[in-house]
Amino acid sequence: MSELITAIAATARPLLVALDFDGTLAPLQDDPSASRIIPAGVDVLARVAARPDVSLALVSGRALHDLHALAEVPEGTFLIGSHGAERARVTRFGLDRDVVQLTDDEADRLASLGARAAGLVRGKDGVWVETKPTAVVVHTRLAQDEDRQEAEAAALALGAELGSGVLHGKDVVEISVLHASKGEALAALRDELGARSVLFAGDDTTDERAFEVLGDGDVTIKVGPGDSLARHRVGSADELVEALTTLV
Ligand SMILES: [Mg+2]
């Protein structure tokens, strides 16, 4: 932890602080709509964002509207949703969204994906399908082992057939009609902001795409167990938030 705090204190400015949401700031819940940033986190993020030399972003797999509803972040925060396919900025009047434009071919594939995914989860308890503006997601968090494995295998096969990008995270398979990743979205935002360093924290395999695009002067933090490219590790959202207080 002390090494992490030293690394955070040494970051060049302007700094972009970019954080995954579920499992990183908000402990994982069986019901995803029950996820909340830990209370200490709401306060620390507000103070981090208030610093003139720091920008704040949440980088999540959630659809943007869903992320915004749960985020509890201050005005000016960038929200990157759907693993990078959607982006917006929080303003006093609501979300200032970048428009996502699907081609006719992409829109057709999204419709086919939705119908096929609904078919493959039928009869499997605890498996459900979410439709996003650019992707279809098969959720298996509440399913028993056999149903989960079958549903995830079928979703991966469907993705290989119809998708452009397939992401296999914890109890989710996301099939997107766009090529997008947290890494590409984070690199683009960094360039636009002219950030000299980036701090990124995440807990899942999809966050590795973001760790991948960061370099020596950046701070990469894995939350929880598992292999990772990240240079630092914390055990929980509480530890992450504690480390972020270094910035305020
Ligand atoms: Mg996560």
Side-chain angles (χ1 to χ4, degrees):
M1 188 84 168
S2 66
E3 216 180 293
L4 170 58
I5 286 173
T6 307
I8 293 174
T11 47
R13 311 302 163 95
L15 165 69
L16 170 59
V17 173
L19 306 165
D20 171 52
F21 183 79
D22 293 278
T24 296
L25 288 169
L28 293 174
Q29 304 287 336
D30 283 342
D31 172 5
S33 67
S35 287
R36 297 290 181 276
I37 296 183
I38 59 168
V42 175
D43 175 57
V44 169
L45 293 186
R47 289 161 62 202
V48 167
R51 297 210 46 114
D53 53 356
V54 179
S55 301
L56 179 65
L58 297 189
V59 185
S60 173
R62 284 181 184 263
L64 199 56
H65 68 90
D66 188 14
L67 180 62
H68 184 221
L70 299 176
E72 301 178 80
V73 286
E75 278 171 36
T77 303
F78 292 91
L79 298 181
I80 292 174
S82 297
H83 302 284
E86 299 182 273
R87 196 175 94 180
R89 196 161 192 200
V90 177
T91 75
R92 186 185 314 184
F93 309 105
L95 275 189
D96 180 9
R97 264 173 186 270
D98 293 2
V99 175
V100 182
Q101 193 74 52
L102 295 184
T103 64
D104 288 348
D105 174 59
E106 287 161 349
D108 287 348
R109 267 191 297 138
L110 186 61
S112 304
L113 273 174
R116 295 271 300 275
L120 69 83
V121 307
R122 204 161 289 140
K124 290 188 173 59
D125 273 350
V127 181
W128 77 97
V129 174
E130 174 192 6
T131 304
K132 293 180 179 177
T134 62
V136 166
V137 190
V138 176
H139 291 268
T140 59
R141 190 164 181 81
L142 297 178
Q144 300 296 319
D145 278 349
E146 193 179 329
D147 278 347
R148 173 163 62 229
Q149 283 162 14
E150 276 182 27
E152 291 183 12
L156 289 170
L158 178 61
E161 183 189 336
L162 285 180
S164 296
V166 181
L167 293 166
H168 195 182
K170 283 177 192 159
D171 305 322
V172 293
V173 175
E174 171 148 348
I175 309 161
S176 175
V177 297
L178 293 181
H179 284 287
S181 76
K182 288 186 174 185
E184 288 165 48
L186 185 58
L189 182 59
R190 161 188 226 157
D191 283 352
E192 284 171 47
L193 295 175
R196 290 182 58 218
S197 62
V198 175
L199 178 156
F200 179 77
D203 71 305
D204 205 345
T205 51
T206 55
D207 298 309
E208 297 297 316
R209 304 288 291 277
F211 294 139
E212 229 168 62
V213 302
L214 299 179
D216 285 346
D218 300 320
V219 178
T220 49
I221 309 166
K222 167 82 171 178
V223 181
D227 287 345
S228 180
L229 295 171
R231 207 173 264 195
H232 302 274
R233 188 183 300 267
V234 295
S236 63
D238 297 274
E239 265 185 55
L240 175 66
V241 165
E242 194 189 322
L244 291 175
T245 58
T246 309
L247 292 169
V248 299

